[in-house]
Amino acid sequence: MSRIGWRFPILDGGNTQGFNNNDIETFNGRGLLDNLAREICQNSLDHNDPDRAEAVRVVFELRNVPTRNYSLFSEYEECIDRCRDYYKSNTGKQLKQFLNDASDMLHRDEMPILVIGDYNTLGLTGSRSSSIETPWHALTSGDGFSSAKESDSGGSYGIGKNAPFACSSLRMVFYNTMAKPAEEGQADEAAFIGVGRLATFLNKEGEETQRVGRYQFNDEQNRRNCRPIYRDDNDAFMQLFPRTERGTDVIVVGFDQGPDWKEGVKKAILKNFFVAIKEGKLIAEVKDASSTIVIDSDSIGQLMEAEGGTPEMEKFKSLFKAFTEPTDKKYLSILEEDDVELSIAIDSSFKKALGYFRNTGMLIRHTFKRLYPQYACVVVVRKKQLAELLRDTEPAQHNLWDYTLISNFTEKEKRKKAKKALEDIDRGVIDFIQAQAEIGKTNEMDAPGVGDYLPDTGQSGDQTDSSNGNDALRPVISVGRPRKAPSRSPQATFQGVKGAGTPVEGDPHNQTKHPNPDPQPIRPVVEPDGTTTEDAAEGITKGQGAKRVTAVSPVRQRVFPISSDTGIYRVIVETDEPIEEGSIAFFSLG
């Protein structure tokens, strides 16, 4: 006997599997939609069809379907109830919250479903194969590993597929694909399957289950013979997602991310994939029943310009401008000739911004370096050899290049190679940004009001300082730490008491035993050459003096370049208290 429905395999003596899943929690939080868009679009770009010249197209579409029309929801609710009964005496906070949210979702009249479909891709091959190395098996049945891909493709840890589960209040995701056949001449492979992630519970037979179950074609007589749902199988839910061309649908069931989900997904795509979109590698659509947003090479400029209001989006607008309208461009040769592209734009309104992109056009990370001038710089890896090397330096979220992620034991040489490559890229980027300070420089730059605080030093680059000298009497200054005012004890008041004095015999002053001190001798003034003046007057003696002064904290400071080619700057410092005389120590970075 066979049937289509949910099946959670028995635990068969294994460890009880709880609800908490670090692979899913990795993608939770404020960056939820950002992580979803990154993982989906990255996978689609990795599986682009090389025989098609069109850009990969990814469509995010929100639909609502009647909940009571499909038995899979009532079956899943039964699993939810069994899970609640199993943990009734030991339900953790996270599991309790999930079970309550899932029950509320399953009792809605309409189920919100986000369908994310890609086109001009190869689809998920291997749905009719028993090999674990196929993309279909890795996505739907594997845990913690990915399928064999091109060596410079993005995914390598196999946990990115958990990002859609983090967006489902049911922890339920379906996969629908039409893929290139294993052999030429055969029809495209179409397959459909659902995956639910709960926690161990007791099934109808009283057996403990594993936490991951599948909505699939089940052979009850041979329970090991479980397969996807194929096109000729009769399943009403599968028929909601017909496909006529190659590609894959990732279907997030119970998607409840609020009315602003479209804006969140749109911003995530603009930030993370503007290189791929502008170069015609990717087109994205975000839509629901009321409107559609199309992000392609023609519309992305206008969409970027319309963004604003947050420092983060202003930063990405400046990076986009650097990529599309650079004031300068340069190539670095790291492993191959011209395998890293640098684009930069200089603008006084920019916040310093630096973005690193992999060769598919996806952002790896954004940061900044404390360098003059105000800039936005985009770094793109262009060639395969470097892309292959750097892929191994990326963590699971693909948001960093870190050579220490390569083993220092089994791949020591590769680790050294990656370290040097990253250092060479970093050095090239710094040199490129610093070189922009020499472009379009003027002899003198001043801000309004600066002249009110600092004296005119003459021509730019003039290093004359009238206060400098070689006076031998100049003291050695030792700068001490700011002194704290001594704490004062509470004052006590006493009533004075009148007392009687005791007479003492003798003179009131004994000049012999205690003579009055001589007047303070007058020391002669010492000239810088060591001679003294004839007239006796107050002065100082020659020698290395010592003087202790108190450090004063600056409350505001500004630096303006006067001559960048010779390194002359004008500095304004405002202190927290007035001072007549002082010393300033300067430190520089970059």
Side-chain angles (χ1 to χ4, degrees):
M1 180 180 176
S2 61
R3 70 177 185 88
I4 294 175
W6 287 103
R7 177 175 181 264
F8 286 80
I10 61 173
L11 200 57
D12 200 19
N15 292 337
T16 300
Q17 299 173 359
F19 174 73
N20 293 335
N21 187 320
N22 290 335
D23 291 345
I24 294 177
E25 295 303 323
T26 297
F27 300 101
N28 256 326
R30 292 195 305 172
L32 185 67
L33 295 177
D34 196 272
N35 290 326
L36 177 69
R38 279 175 59 87
E39 292 297 331
I40 292 292
C41 293
Q42 170 194 277
N43 287 334
S44 298
L45 287 169
D46 286 346
H47 288 91
N48 69 302
D49 190 343
D51 296 331
R52 301 185 66 117
E54 298 94 333
V56 170
R57 186 163 63 95
V58 180
V59 181
F60 295 76
E61 181 181 5
L62 183 64
R63 304 183 193 175
N64 290 282
V65 302
T67 306
R68 294 181 179 84
N69 289 7
Y70 304 97
S71 61
L72 72 93
F73 296 124
S74 58
E75 282 187 41
Y76 201 75
E77 185 175 11
E78 183 178 341
C79 296
I80 293 286
D81 293 338
R82 290 182 178 277
C83 194
R84 182 181 284 108
D85 290 340
Y86 185 82
Y87 292 96
K88 60 184 177 182
S89 60
N90 188 27
T91 305
K93 180 180 179 181
Q94 285 184 304
L95 177 58
K96 183 178 180 180
Q97 185 65 55
F98 164 74
L99 294 174
N100 291 338
D101 291 345
S103 295
D104 291 344
M105 179 63 70
L106 289 166
H107 283 91
R108 291 189 184 186
D109 292 335
E110 289 189 320
M111 179 67 64
I113 297 176
L114 182 66
V115 183
I116 313 170
D118 66 26
Y119 303 86
N120 298 325
T121 63
L122 296 174
L124 296 173
T125 58
S127 61
R128 296 179 181 271
S129 171
S130 59
S131 171
I132 67 170
E133 296 182 352
T134 64
W136 173 264
H137 183 88
L139 186 62
T140 65
S141 305
D143 199 0
F145 72 94
S146 62
S147 64
K149 299 180 181 180
E150 291 294 326
S151 54
D152 62 338
S153 63
S156 57
Y157 287 83
I159 71 170
K161 62 190 173 190
N162 291 289
F165 286 95
C167 296
S168 168
S169 57
L170 299 174
R171 294 282 176 95
M172 182 193 298
V173 175
F174 279 75
Y175 303 97
N176 179 42
T177 193
M178 179 179 287
K180 184 178 181 179
E183 299 180 9
E184 292 187 9
Q186 296 181 343
D188 283 355
E189 298 178 359
F192 185 82
I193 200 169
V195 179
R197 294 181 176 270
L198 298 177
T200 293
F201 60 87
L202 295 179
N203 61 18
K204 293 179 180 179
E205 291 76 26
E207 301 169 310
E208 291 182 318
T209 68
Q210 299 180 31
R211 68 180 175 190
V212 179
R214 293 175 183 82
Y215 183 81
Q216 59 188 13
F217 187 92
N218 298 289
D219 187 340
E220 297 297 338
Q221 293 180 346
N222 182 7
R223 300 182 70 176
R224 292 182 179 271
N225 184 20
C226 304
R227 64 169 178 81
I229 304 168
Y230 295 129
R231 182 171 291 178
D232 52 355
D233 294 322
N234 185 22
D235 183 71
F237 191 67
M238 177 186 67
Q239 293 171 2
L240 289 173
F241 313 99
R243 260 203 172 264
T244 58
E245 58 182 294
R246 290 178 186 172
T248 301
D249 299 319
V250 177
I251 304 162
V252 184
V253 183
F255 181 82
D256 189 20
Q257 300 303 320
D260 296 331
W261 74 270
K262 285 194 299 182
E263 281 297 308
V265 172
K266 180 191 74 173
K267 287 182 179 180
I269 293 171
L270 291 176
K271 291 188 301 184
N272 293 284
F273 294 97
F274 68 73
V275 169
I277 292 170
K278 192 60 183 177
E279 292 184 340
K281 297 177 182 177
L282 176 67
I283 297 173
E285 296 180 24
V286 187
K287 64 181 182 179
D288 57 14
S290 61
S291 63
T292 300
I293 302 171
V294 179
I295 310 173
D296 58 16
S297 58
D298 294 328
S299 65
I300 188 171
Q302 184 176 356
L303 291 171
M304 271 287 194
E305 189 61 32
E307 288 295 331
T310 64
E312 184 181 36
M313 288 311 299
E314 289 297 326
K315 178 187 297 182
F316 281 100
K317 286 170 65 174
S318 67
L319 287 171
F320 178 75
K321 184 175 181 179
F323 183 70
T324 56
E325 304 175 39
T327 55
D328 196 11
K329 182 176 284 192
K330 180 182 178 180
Y331 287 87
L332 304 178
S333 298
I334 306 300
L335 300 182
E336 303 174 78
E337 186 177 359
D338 297 342
D339 54 358
V340 176
E341 178 186 282
L342 309 180
S343 304
I344 196 168
I346 307 297
D347 193 308
S348 60
S349 65
F350 287 173
K351 301 295 183 184
K352 302 177 194 296
L354 182 58
Y356 293 86
F357 286 75
R358 77 155 56 106
N359 59 329
T360 57
M362 185 183 87
L363 176 74
I364 294 297
R365 69 186 182 105
H366 61 91
T367 181
F368 70 96
K369 293 187 182 296
R370 294 183 179 90
L371 300 171
Y372 175 80
Q374 301 300 108
Y375 67 88
C377 181
V378 174
V379 182
V380 184
V381 174
R382 285 301 185 187
K383 295 191 177 179
K384 189 172 183 179
Q385 187 178 348
L386 182 59
E388 291 176 3
L389 179 64
L390 294 184
R391 187 200 66 167
D392 292 337
T393 70
E394 296 176 15
Q397 287 183 288
H398 307 290
N399 58 359
L400 186 66
W401 284 327
D402 181 2
Y403 74 90
T404 62
L405 295 175
I406 300 177
S407 171
N408 196 31
F409 299 98
T410 59
E411 297 181 296
K412 198 167 188 176
E413 291 304 316
K414 178 185 281 190
R415 180 183 169 117
K416 289 181 180 178
K417 187 177 182 181
K419 179 183 179 183
K420 185 178 184 304
L422 291 172
E423 288 174 347
D424 290 345
I425 292 173
D426 196 51
R427 189 178 303 110
V429 169
I430 291 174
D431 291 344
F432 182 56
I433 296 173
Q434 287 182 322
Q436 305 309 306
E438 306 302 321
I439 299 176
K441 65 179 183 291
T442 59
N443 285 336
E444 184 162 357
M445 184 176 74
D446 200 339
V450 171
D452 294 338
Y453 294 90
L454 294 177
D456 186 4
T457 58
Q459 297 297 322
S460 65
D462 184 4
Q463 302 182 58
T464 303
D465 186 352
S466 60
S467 64
N468 289 341
N470 56 0
D471 190 345
L473 304 181
R474 196 168 44 194
V476 177
I477 305 296
S478 174
V479 180
R481 295 183 178 179
R483 298 175 181 174
K484 294 183 178 179
S487 58
R488 298 185 177 181
S489 303
Q491 298 294 322
T493 303
F494 300 96
Q495 181 66 38
V497 179
K498 183 177 180 181
T502 302
V504 179
E505 294 182 359
D507 297 332
H509 180 71
N510 190 324
Q511 181 67 22
T512 303
K513 292 183 179 180
H514 305 288
N516 290 325
D518 294 333
Q520 184 71 23
I522 299 176
R523 284 180 279 184
V525 174
V526 182
E527 299 295 338
D529 59 1
T531 63
T532 60
T533 60
E534 295 180 358
D535 297 331
E538 292 186 355
I540 57 176
T541 60
K542 180 182 180 182
Q544 293 293 329
K547 182 179 180 182
R548 184 174 182 85
V549 298
T550 301
V552 180
S553 301
V555 294
R556 276 195 294 272
Q557 52 204 16
R558 296 290 301 276
V559 181
F560 302 93
I562 294 176
S563 177
S564 56
D565 55 347
T566 56
I568 305 301
Y569 295 85
R570 177 171 292 176
V571 182
I572 302 175
V573 179
E574 182 181 346
T575 59
D576 55 0
E577 60 183 81
I579 57 175
E580 295 182 358
E581 184 178 350
S583 301
I584 301 177
F586 291 91
F587 301 90
S588 63
L589 294 174

